[in-house]
Amino acid sequence: CCQCGVAIPPNPANMCVGCLRAQVDITEGIPKQGTLHFCKQCERYLQPPGTWIQCTLESRELLALCLKKIKASLSKVRLIDAGFIWTEPHSKRLKLKLTVQKEVINGAVLQQVFVVEYIVQSQMCEDCHRIEAKDFWKAVVQVRQKTLHKKTFYYLEQLILKHRLHQNTLRIKEIHDGLDFYYSSKQQAQKMVDFLQCTVPSRSKSSQRLISHDIHSNVYNYKSTFSVEIVPICKDNVVCLSPKLAQSLGNMSQICVCIRVTSTIHLIDPSTLQIAEIDGNTYWRHPFNSLFHPKQLEEFIIMDINRVQEKKKGAGAGARSNKHTLAEAWVQKTSELNTDHQYFCCTHLGHILNPGDLVLGFDLANCNLNDEFANKMNPHHIPDVILIKKSYDRTKRQRRRNWKLKELERDREGMDTDDERQYQDFLEDLEEDEAIRKNVNIYRNADVPVESDTDDDGPPRISLAEMLEDLHISQDATGGEGANMMT
């Protein structure tokens, strides 16, 4: 060695390794410290200038992000190896061990290992900033239904919760006839509209308003509005179809009962048990309205009932329901028990009704039907009474209800007694209709003691097998500050 005189194998620099490192530092100019920006809310890292990417600790993506920070400085050396040195996850520190080579004096190649330390700093990304602001939105979905009852909205709320479509919303606002969903991007709002059109019969319109325009880069900033109108028909509504629509559905009666609303409107003819499904497109081509409001339901008592064997199908008749039983009944209003006035009717509830039972229905014989199709019908084809559902003691049902539902977090205008009554009606519909229950997440209520499911005398109930356990995950399960960085 020309510096220290130690015997060495010949090399172009004529120096030992120690003297060569003392003379030349190939890592000079490469920063040994850096900064990474991390968003706690969405757990993403900032990739300059404005992209946020998802990376787990000690992943290839995070290693590439760290190397890009010093990419310009590494251009003068040759990178041989790079890897993470383990650091405590809450330390807000990331250490990289780098191995580099560089040609030095007279063509000698020197290899050196060094450590670069990154400090992780918290910074909220733009998306999370908009969510926290609550009022910064790019698109809104306005869902409306022109009815007095909110059964369809309660069902829709459970579907949104089950499929977790509420997670990307900035805000949910409750209006007297619907809901408003606010989003930070038009694509998220369009996804919500597509979901609504697949789950409930509806139609939609869209519009956009120009907010700003950059004439130099030709960039436009719009706010989009999607209007979704749900068909104004709810469960337990009595409807009058147009003659053309009734004929196309298998020559069924124009007066029908809506037994449920899912992605289609399910109708049943109470005099023949004939069933039909109407989708949104068919409804808007042949619209019809509900003849009564739910508040007009009257209570009847069954005086006598006879099950009827299946009637002979007419020409072109459609399918019949296997879950209902056709029966002929004599009923009397509970408000007219001191009189001898009775009504005769056909009903689809023969499988659950017995003499002496209370049942809710509509009185068509003593009312004025303000409907264009009903007014043109032959009066002999309009039944005197249509029975809708069996009546149970509501107080007893609430006391025995050992399950609950989750609700969307939304801005309410105020919940009055009528809303509470409608919500109880929806809970009772869930107990009575298994088809709707399959689309809803039902959770066991630990506050109510579990009773036997074998009691057949009372109202319908939901079995324990259909209930889910309500999980509560602690927020501090991963430790103190910095726990959001855990993967």
Side-chain angles (χ1 to χ4, degrees), residues 275-293:
I275 55 175
E277 295 184 13
I278 300 176
D279 59 9
N281 294 331
T282 305
Y283 175 84
W284 298 118
R285 285 199 303 268
H286 307 281
F288 51 86
N289 297 314
S290 174
L291 298 181
F292 298 95
H293 301 309

PDB file of all heavy atoms in Angstrom, residues 275-293:
ATOM      1  N   ILE A 275    -100.577 -15.012  -8.955  1.00  0.00           N
ATOM      2  CA  ILE A 275     -99.495 -14.092  -8.589  1.00  0.00           C
ATOM      3  C   ILE A 275     -98.832 -13.561  -9.846  1.00  0.00           C
ATOM      4  O   ILE A 275     -98.899 -14.182 -10.915  1.00  0.00           O
ATOM      5  CB  ILE A 275     -98.440 -14.765  -7.686  1.00  0.00           C
ATOM      6  CG1 ILE A 275     -97.898 -16.029  -8.347  1.00  0.00           C
ATOM      7  CG2 ILE A 275     -99.006 -15.054  -6.312  1.00  0.00           C
ATOM      8  CD1 ILE A 275     -96.772 -16.689  -7.569  1.00  0.00           C
ATOM      9  N   ALA A 276     -98.199 -12.402  -9.714  1.00  0.00           N
ATOM     10  CA  ALA A 276     -97.491 -11.780 -10.836  1.00  0.00           C
ATOM     11  C   ALA A 276     -96.397 -10.880 -10.276  1.00  0.00           C
ATOM     12  O   ALA A 276     -96.471 -10.409  -9.135  1.00  0.00           O
ATOM     13  CB  ALA A 276     -98.451 -10.974 -11.712  1.00  0.00           C
ATOM     14  N   GLU A 277     -95.361 -10.678 -11.090  1.00  0.00           N
ATOM     15  CA  GLU A 277     -94.264  -9.783 -10.731  1.00  0.00           C
ATOM     16  C   GLU A 277     -94.162  -8.703 -11.795  1.00  0.00           C
ATOM     17  O   GLU A 277     -94.190  -8.994 -12.996  1.00  0.00           O
ATOM     18  CB  GLU A 277     -92.940 -10.545 -10.631  1.00  0.00           C
ATOM     19  CG  GLU A 277     -92.905 -11.562  -9.501  1.00  0.00           C
ATOM     20  CD  GLU A 277     -91.549 -12.231  -9.378  1.00  0.00           C
ATOM     21  OE1 GLU A 277     -90.587 -11.727  -9.994  1.00  0.00           O
ATOM     22  OE2 GLU A 277     -91.450 -13.253  -8.677  1.00  0.00           O
ATOM     23  N   ILE A 278     -94.020  -7.450 -11.338  1.00  0.00           N
ATOM     24  CA  ILE A 278     -93.930  -6.307 -12.247  1.00  0.00           C
ATOM     25  C   ILE A 278     -92.615  -5.602 -11.974  1.00  0.00           C
ATOM     26  O   ILE A 278     -92.361  -5.163 -10.840  1.00  0.00           O
ATOM     27  CB  ILE A 278     -95.120  -5.344 -12.046  1.00  0.00           C
ATOM     28  CG1 ILE A 278     -96.441  -6.064 -12.324  1.00  0.00           C
ATOM     29  CG2 ILE A 278     -94.981  -4.118 -12.929  1.00  0.00           C
ATOM     30  CD1 ILE A 278     -97.657  -5.202 -12.065  1.00  0.00           C
ATOM     31  N   ASP A 279     -91.764  -5.485 -12.989  1.00  0.00           N
ATOM     32  CA  ASP A 279     -90.497  -4.768 -12.803  1.00  0.00           C
ATOM     33  C   ASP A 279     -90.697  -3.276 -13.030  1.00  0.00           C
ATOM     34  O   ASP A 279     -91.789  -2.810 -13.387  1.00  0.00           O
ATOM     35  CB  ASP A 279     -89.422  -5.328 -13.742  1.00  0.00           C
ATOM     36  CG  ASP A 279     -89.816  -5.229 -15.212  1.00  0.00           C
ATOM     37  OD1 ASP A 279     -90.838  -4.577 -15.508  1.00  0.00           O
ATOM     38  OD2 ASP A 279     -89.103  -5.786 -16.053  1.00  0.00           O
ATOM     39  N   GLY A 280     -89.622  -2.524 -12.809  1.00  0.00           N
ATOM     40  CA  GLY A 280     -89.731  -1.069 -12.893  1.00  0.00           C
ATOM     41  C   GLY A 280     -90.113  -0.576 -14.270  1.00  0.00           C
ATOM     42  O   GLY A 280     -90.940   0.340 -14.414  1.00  0.00           O
ATOM     43  N   ASN A 281     -89.522  -1.168 -15.325  1.00  0.00           N
ATOM     44  CA  ASN A 281     -89.823  -0.709 -16.690  1.00  0.00           C
ATOM     45  C   ASN A 281     -91.290  -0.923 -17.030  1.00  0.00           C
ATOM     46  O   ASN A 281     -91.928  -0.053 -17.642  1.00  0.00           O
ATOM     47  CB  ASN A 281     -88.944  -1.460 -17.692  1.00  0.00           C
ATOM     48  CG  ASN A 281     -87.476  -1.116 -17.539  1.00  0.00           C
ATOM     49  OD1 ASN A 281     -87.141  -0.004 -17.124  1.00  0.00           O
ATOM     50  ND2 ASN A 281     -86.601  -2.056 -17.861  1.00  0.00           N
ATOM     51  N   THR A 282     -91.844  -2.081 -16.621  1.00  0.00           N
ATOM     52  CA  THR A 282     -93.264  -2.342 -16.892  1.00  0.00           C
ATOM     53  C   THR A 282     -94.152  -1.364 -16.132  1.00  0.00           C
ATOM     54  O   THR A 282     -95.169  -0.879 -16.654  1.00  0.00           O
ATOM     55  CB  THR A 282     -93.612  -3.789 -16.499  1.00  0.00           C
ATOM     56  OG1 THR A 282     -92.730  -4.690 -17.167  1.00  0.00           O
ATOM     57  CG2 THR A 282     -95.045  -4.122 -16.867  1.00  0.00           C
ATOM     58  N   TYR A 283     -93.773  -1.059 -14.893  1.00  0.00           N
ATOM     59  CA  TYR A 283     -94.600  -0.136 -14.104  1.00  0.00           C
ATOM     60  C   TYR A 283     -94.648   1.242 -14.749  1.00  0.00           C
ATOM     61  O   TYR A 283     -95.723   1.855 -14.850  1.00  0.00           O
ATOM     62  CB  TYR A 283     -94.053  -0.029 -12.683  1.00  0.00           C
ATOM     63  CG  TYR A 283     -94.810   1.000 -11.859  1.00  0.00           C
ATOM     64  CD1 TYR A 283     -95.994   0.666 -11.215  1.00  0.00           C
ATOM     65  CD2 TYR A 283     -94.365   2.326 -11.771  1.00  0.00           C
ATOM     66  CE1 TYR A 283     -96.708   1.610 -10.497  1.00  0.00           C
ATOM     67  CE2 TYR A 283     -95.076   3.277 -11.051  1.00  0.00           C
ATOM     68  CZ  TYR A 283     -96.245   2.914 -10.419  1.00  0.00           C
ATOM     69  OH  TYR A 283     -96.950   3.849  -9.721  1.00  0.00           O
ATOM     70  N   TRP A 284     -93.491   1.755 -15.194  1.00  0.00           N
ATOM     71  CA  TRP A 284     -93.504   3.115 -15.733  1.00  0.00           C
ATOM     72  C   TRP A 284     -94.204   3.174 -17.079  1.00  0.00           C
ATOM     73  O   TRP A 284     -94.683   4.246 -17.489  1.00  0.00           O
ATOM     74  CB  TRP A 284     -92.068   3.642 -15.846  1.00  0.00           C
ATOM     75  CG  TRP A 284     -91.362   3.746 -14.536  1.00  0.00           C
ATOM     76  CD1 TRP A 284     -90.249   3.079 -14.154  1.00  0.00           C
ATOM     77  CD2 TRP A 284     -91.728   4.557 -13.413  1.00  0.00           C
ATOM     78  NE1 TRP A 284     -89.895   3.398 -12.867  1.00  0.00           N
ATOM     79  CE2 TRP A 284     -90.783   4.308 -12.388  1.00  0.00           C
ATOM     80  CE3 TRP A 284     -92.757   5.454 -13.168  1.00  0.00           C
ATOM     81  CZ2 TRP A 284     -90.841   4.924 -11.151  1.00  0.00           C
ATOM     82  CZ3 TRP A 284     -92.816   6.077 -11.934  1.00  0.00           C
ATOM     83  CH2 TRP A 284     -91.869   5.816 -10.945  1.00  0.00           C
ATOM     84  N   ARG A 285     -94.306   2.033 -17.805  1.00  0.00           N
ATOM     85  CA  ARG A 285     -95.090   2.015 -19.043  1.00  0.00           C
ATOM     86  C   ARG A 285     -96.585   1.966 -18.746  1.00  0.00           C
ATOM     87  O   ARG A 285     -97.381   2.541 -19.484  1.00  0.00           O
ATOM     88  CB  ARG A 285     -94.689   0.808 -19.905  1.00  0.00           C
ATOM     89  CG  ARG A 285     -93.363   0.944 -20.605  1.00  0.00           C
ATOM     90  CD  ARG A 285     -93.243  -0.044 -21.764  1.00  0.00           C
ATOM     91  NE  ARG A 285     -93.422  -1.414 -21.318  1.00  0.00           N
ATOM     92  CZ  ARG A 285     -92.427  -2.214 -20.941  1.00  0.00           C
ATOM     93  NH1 ARG A 285     -91.192  -1.747 -20.931  1.00  0.00           N
ATOM     94  NH2 ARG A 285     -92.661  -3.449 -20.557  1.00  0.00           N
ATOM     95  N   HIS A 286     -96.970   1.252 -17.675  1.00  0.00           N
ATOM     96  CA  HIS A 286     -98.393   1.133 -17.293  1.00  0.00           C
ATOM     97  C   HIS A 286     -98.527   1.485 -15.808  1.00  0.00           C
ATOM     98  O   HIS A 286     -98.716   0.609 -14.967  1.00  0.00           O
ATOM     99  CB  HIS A 286     -98.906  -0.291 -17.540  1.00  0.00           C
ATOM    100  CG  HIS A 286     -98.670  -0.785 -18.924  1.00  0.00           C
ATOM    101  ND1 HIS A 286     -99.458  -0.421 -19.994  1.00  0.00           N
ATOM    102  CD2 HIS A 286     -97.714  -1.615 -19.432  1.00  0.00           C
ATOM    103  CE1 HIS A 286     -99.012  -1.011 -21.097  1.00  0.00           C
ATOM    104  NE2 HIS A 286     -97.957  -1.737 -20.785  1.00  0.00           N
ATOM    105  N   PRO A 287     -98.410   2.763 -15.458  1.00  0.00           N
ATOM    106  CA  PRO A 287     -98.427   3.131 -14.027  1.00  0.00           C
ATOM    107  C   PRO A 287     -99.802   2.926 -13.386  1.00  0.00           C
ATOM    108  O   PRO A 287    -100.840   3.022 -14.053  1.00  0.00           O
ATOM    109  CB  PRO A 287     -98.044   4.616 -14.040  1.00  0.00           C
ATOM    110  CG  PRO A 287     -98.413   5.099 -15.399  1.00  0.00           C
ATOM    111  CD  PRO A 287     -98.241   3.929 -16.325  1.00  0.00           C
ATOM    112  N   PHE A 288     -99.789   2.607 -12.113  1.00  0.00           N
ATOM    113  CA  PHE A 288    -101.011   2.496 -11.323  1.00  0.00           C
ATOM    114  C   PHE A 288    -100.710   2.980  -9.910  1.00  0.00           C
ATOM    115  O   PHE A 288     -99.551   3.098  -9.508  1.00  0.00           O
ATOM    116  CB  PHE A 288    -101.532   1.048 -11.306  1.00  0.00           C
ATOM    117  CG  PHE A 288    -100.485   0.034 -10.924  1.00  0.00           C
ATOM    118  CD1 PHE A 288    -100.224  -0.270  -9.589  1.00  0.00           C
ATOM    119  CD2 PHE A 288     -99.748  -0.628 -11.899  1.00  0.00           C
ATOM    120  CE1 PHE A 288     -99.257  -1.196  -9.241  1.00  0.00           C
ATOM    121  CE2 PHE A 288     -98.783  -1.561 -11.550  1.00  0.00           C
ATOM    122  CZ  PHE A 288     -98.531  -1.843 -10.225  1.00  0.00           C
ATOM    123  N   ASN A 289    -101.744   3.273  -9.149  1.00  0.00           N
ATOM    124  CA  ASN A 289    -101.586   3.851  -7.821  1.00  0.00           C
ATOM    125  C   ASN A 289    -102.225   2.957  -6.767  1.00  0.00           C
ATOM    126  O   ASN A 289    -103.040   2.070  -7.075  1.00  0.00           O
ATOM    127  CB  ASN A 289    -102.219   5.256  -7.752  1.00  0.00           C
ATOM    128  CG  ASN A 289    -101.543   6.240  -8.675  1.00  0.00           C
ATOM    129  OD1 ASN A 289    -100.317   6.300  -8.723  1.00  0.00           O
ATOM    130  ND2 ASN A 289    -102.329   7.003  -9.428  1.00  0.00           N
ATOM    131  N   SER A 290    -101.868   3.238  -5.523  1.00  0.00           N
ATOM    132  CA  SER A 290    -102.483   2.540  -4.398  1.00  0.00           C
ATOM    133  C   SER A 290    -103.865   3.136  -4.125  1.00  0.00           C
ATOM    134  O   SER A 290    -104.056   4.361  -4.188  1.00  0.00           O
ATOM    135  CB  SER A 290    -101.595   2.663  -3.161  1.00  0.00           C
ATOM    136  OG  SER A 290    -102.237   2.117  -2.039  1.00  0.00           O
ATOM    137  N   LEU A 291    -104.849   2.267  -3.863  1.00  0.00           N
ATOM    138  CA  LEU A 291    -106.219   2.753  -3.632  1.00  0.00           C
ATOM    139  C   LEU A 291    -106.405   3.303  -2.223  1.00  0.00           C
ATOM    140  O   LEU A 291    -107.283   4.142  -1.994  1.00  0.00           O
ATOM    141  CB  LEU A 291    -107.212   1.607  -3.870  1.00  0.00           C
ATOM    142  CG  LEU A 291    -107.252   1.007  -5.280  1.00  0.00           C
ATOM    143  CD1 LEU A 291    -108.288  -0.097  -5.345  1.00  0.00           C
ATOM    144  CD2 LEU A 291    -107.547   2.083  -6.311  1.00  0.00           C
ATOM    145  N   PHE A 292    -105.604   2.828  -1.259  1.00  0.00           N
ATOM    146  CA  PHE A 292    -105.790   3.226   0.142  1.00  0.00           C
ATOM    147  C   PHE A 292    -104.444   3.573   0.761  1.00  0.00           C
ATOM    148  O   PHE A 292    -103.394   3.111   0.319  1.00  0.00           O
ATOM    149  CB  PHE A 292    -106.425   2.085   0.961  1.00  0.00           C
ATOM    150  CG  PHE A 292    -107.795   1.686   0.494  1.00  0.00           C
ATOM    151  CD1 PHE A 292    -107.971   0.624  -0.386  1.00  0.00           C
ATOM    152  CD2 PHE A 292    -108.916   2.370   0.942  1.00  0.00           C
ATOM    153  CE1 PHE A 292    -109.226   0.249  -0.811  1.00  0.00           C
ATOM    154  CE2 PHE A 292    -110.179   2.005   0.522  1.00  0.00           C
ATOM    155  CZ  PHE A 292    -110.335   0.955  -0.362  1.00  0.00           C
ATOM    156  N   HIS A 293    -104.499   4.348   1.827  1.00  0.00           N
ATOM    157  CA  HIS A 293    -103.331   4.612   2.657  1.00  0.00           C
ATOM    158  C   HIS A 293    -103.322   3.612   3.821  1.00  0.00           C
ATOM    159  O   HIS A 293    -104.383   3.107   4.227  1.00  0.00           O
ATOM    160  CB  HIS A 293    -103.378   6.040   3.214  1.00  0.00           C
ATOM    161  CG  HIS A 293    -103.421   7.081   2.147  1.00  0.00           C
ATOM    162  ND1 HIS A 293    -102.523   7.110   1.103  1.00  0.00           N
ATOM    163  CD2 HIS A 293    -104.260   8.139   1.948  1.00  0.00           C
ATOM    164  CE1 HIS A 293    -102.802   8.135   0.315  1.00  0.00           C
ATOM    165  NE2 HIS A 293    -103.854   8.771   0.799  1.00  0.00           N
TER     166      HIS A 293
END
